[in-house]
Amino acid sequence: MNQSIKVEKTVTIDKPTAELYRFWRHFENLPRFTRHLKDVRVSNDKRSHWITSGLLDGTIEWDAEIIDDRPNELIAWKSVANADVDNAGSVQFKPAPGDRGTEVKVVTVYNPPAGVIGDAISKLFGENPKQQIGDDLARFKMLMEAGEIATNDGQLSGRRNSKD
Amino acid sequence: MRAVCWQGTNNVQVETVPDPKIINPRDAIVKITSTAICGSDLHLYDGFVPTMEQGDILGHEFMGEVVELGSAVHNLKVGDRVVVPFPIACGGCFFCKQKLTSLCDNSNPNAFMAEAIMGHSPAGLFGYSHMLGGYAGGQAEYVRVPFADVGPFKIPDGLADEQVLFLTDIFPTGYMAAENCDIQSGHIVAIWGCGPVAQFAIRSAYMLGAERVIAIDRVPERLQMAEQGGAEVLNFEKVDVGEALKEMTGGRGPDAVMDAVGMEAHGMGVEGLIDKAKQAVRLETDRPHVLRQAILACRKGGTVSIPGVYGGFVDSMPMGAAMNKGLTFKMGQTHVHRYLQTLLDRVQNGEIDPSFVITHRLPLEQAPHGYEIFKHKKDNCIKIVLKPGQAA
């Protein structure tokens, strides 16, 4: 039996809680800033289908359900029973002191299954899941505050034997 | 296009690389007309800055003409002549809103690297290390400028490149260093180093009301340029700087001190040798000789302003002196954006012509020679401007 892995990360975003909540509540938006989600399809007000990318041997998919939803405060979700990947997450929005926008806290928990999928999941979340969640949150912040995600992908250089 | 690429310690080459492209909606492409080599490029050249990669395009002091705009940039048009601040700033975060643009939260895609070393990440910079964004720099024919609706600053007609190029870095850097000194009427300011930033810091200190500025270096032509800017000068190879400063300030010490040297200071005597040995084996990344001396020299209750770049760790800081003397420390990468208009005004009204600092003008193709003479202060070199597109 693998141990469940829990990651928490908080970032302050200089935008009102309502705006951030609205963006996040549309789960279809999540792949715009997360590295490993390829697609989230929302089936109804509670239920959605999550598809990951970036795995050598294809995608991993699961259905998730919203288990708590407090407008402008909190959204919590959980994979449905018998999902390949047993996981849960929440995002909390709290006004930051001094009119500095919103403290956004993400908590994710997953129970890596044994076997091939478990290995793939470990790859997906990386050796440092906290950093991955942190990077995703940093990109969320960029998208909200700057309207786009700073990147040097495709950055040119004079590196020899390289394609970029 | 042709670009100056870092190929390893003490090795830059002008290479043919792909032209930059618009990647994000707020990007612009600028065709570079003038670009300079900065003292902090020498820290990269010398191999003292971590997370450089072979092939990185250098350069963060550049200006030119807008040739392409992303779909979200509405305040510029193709053909505009602009200077581009060296820190990249989004304009929308807490820090940008307070005009602390070198602390922008959103411009460093490699923030995680900086966070691991510094706790938090400053802004991404052009032509610097990957820890600070890994953005291609402007010692090239073209450059991609992210957040182009915030950074590039339009230059009015009638001003030559050489009069405005240094608004990108060294003039605001010297000015902010002087501003950080909290200069009051009658104040005497001492500055270590007479490189290009210091030259602007000296002149800025006078603009901000300093009574006297004392400048410290050992290179004759740099001391001479400091004198031309109104400073009294000390050659640290010829005098005991601490003693001399006391004598020149009635025993009080300077009201504010500036370290315009940073991580590669030349220490004297045993202390200098120990720092050099530690840095060589990477036991300490920076040689803080100047900073130590400045702390000891500063008058009680005075201010230590640090425009010189530090990258990592320093040993044996006289914190006891700093604490017991009640010193204030002010430092940081320059918030270039906030100074552009006010310093342009000073250029336009004739208060200063920043081109005084230029000693060499070279075609971009001769950049390797430029780095060599700048590093070794050969041929009286103080500041080099490179011109892309000019025959070698």
Side-chain angles (χ1 to χ4, degrees), chain A residues 16-130:
Chain A
T17 51
E19 184 179 338
L20 301 179
Y21 167 86
R22 258 199 316 277
F23 189 90
W24 198 293
R25 181 65 180 78
H26 292 281
F27 281 165
E28 303 95 323
N29 282 329
L30 300 187
R32 289 175 65 186
F33 63 87
T34 55
R35 270 246 201 275
H36 294 293
L37 282 175
K38 192 165 101 186
D39 201 9
V40 178
R41 290 174 200 154
V42 174
S43 334
N44 60 41
D45 199 40
K46 286 251 179 279
R47 203 155 170 137
S48 51
H49 184 70
W50 301 46
I51 304 170
T52 61
S53 63
L55 295 170
L56 285 177
D57 36 8
T59 59
I60 297 179
E61 310 185 14
W62 65 86
D63 285 318
E65 204 167 45
I66 290 183
I67 53 174
D68 196 0
D69 182 12
R70 288 173 249 157
N72 308 336
E73 273 179 41
L74 177 129
I75 311 164
W77 60 92
K78 194 180 178 328
S79 57
V80 298
N82 302 322
D84 280 350
V85 190
D86 178 18
N87 71 95
S90 68
V91 57
Q92 206 178 321
F93 306 94
K94 201 173 100 186
D99 205 17
R100 293 182 197 213
T102 304
E103 292 173 7
V104 180
K105 177 178 181 174
V106 169
V107 181
T108 62
V109 185
Y110 71 100
N111 293 304
V116 179
I117 291 178
D119 291 348
I121 291 293
S122 300
K123 263 184 228 154
L124 180 66
F125 283 86
E127 284 173 7
N128 187 347
K130 186 160 177 121

Side-chain angles (χ1 to χ4, degrees), chain B residues 13-231:
Chain B
Q13 301 291 330
V14 184
E15 311 263 359
T16 299
V17 305
D19 287 351
K21 292 189 293 279
I22 300 278
I23 297 175
N24 269 337
R26 294 175 66 190
D27 287 355
I29 305 294
V30 170
K31 180 179 192 220
I32 292 162
T33 53
S34 294
T35 177
I37 306 177
C38 178
S40 49
D41 291 327
L42 289 183
H43 298 317
L44 307 174
Y45 187 66
D46 293 345
F48 284 121
V49 176
T51 72
M52 287 297 290
E53 289 177 18
Q54 179 262 322
D56 284 344
I57 299 172
L58 298 175
H60 58 267
E61 296 180 0
F62 56 87
M63 64 177 294
E65 187 189 316
V66 175
V67 291
E68 200 182 338
L69 289 169
S71 58
V73 185
H74 304 297
N75 60 332
L76 294 174
K77 49 184 199 305
V78 168
D80 280 346
R81 189 166 160 248
V82 293
V83 295
V84 181
F86 78 90
I88 301 169
C90 78
C93 69
F94 171 78
F95 297 97
C96 284
K97 284 179 185 168
Q98 293 185 81
K99 303 245 186 295
L100 300 170
T101 49
S102 77
L103 302 177
C104 173
D105 261 343
N106 293 320
S107 58
N108 183 2
N110 299 334
F112 68 95
M113 291 188 192
E115 282 167 8
I117 292 179
M118 300 191 271
H120 299 90
S121 173
L125 308 180
F126 287 104
Y128 224 69
S129 62
H130 286 261
M131 185 172 85
L132 296 178
Y135 288 103
Q139 286 166 11
E141 291 180 275
Y142 296 90
V143 68
R144 167 187 164 235
V145 178
F147 301 131
D149 50 338
V150 173
F153 181 73
K154 279 189 244 183
I155 294 302
D157 292 340
L159 290 166
D161 275 21
E162 293 185 353
Q163 289 176 282
V164 292
L165 173 60
F166 303 132
L167 292 173
T168 58
D169 179 353
I170 56 174
F171 186 10
T173 297
Y175 189 87
M176 184 170 114
E179 203 176 64
N180 278 343
C181 287
D182 190 23
I183 294 166
Q184 311 290 318
S185 159
H187 272 188
I188 304 173
V189 177
I191 180 163
W192 276 253
C194 290
V197 165
Q199 298 296 339
F200 284 102
I202 290 165
R203 287 153 180 85
S204 300
Y206 281 119
M207 288 175 191
L208 293 168
E211 178 83 19
R212 290 162 63 200
V213 179
I214 304 167
I216 301 141
D217 204 302
R218 62 170 177 177
V219 181
E221 61 273 14
R222 293 180 178 217
L223 290 168
Q224 194 188 347
M225 190 180 269
E227 271 181 322
Q228 285 160 0

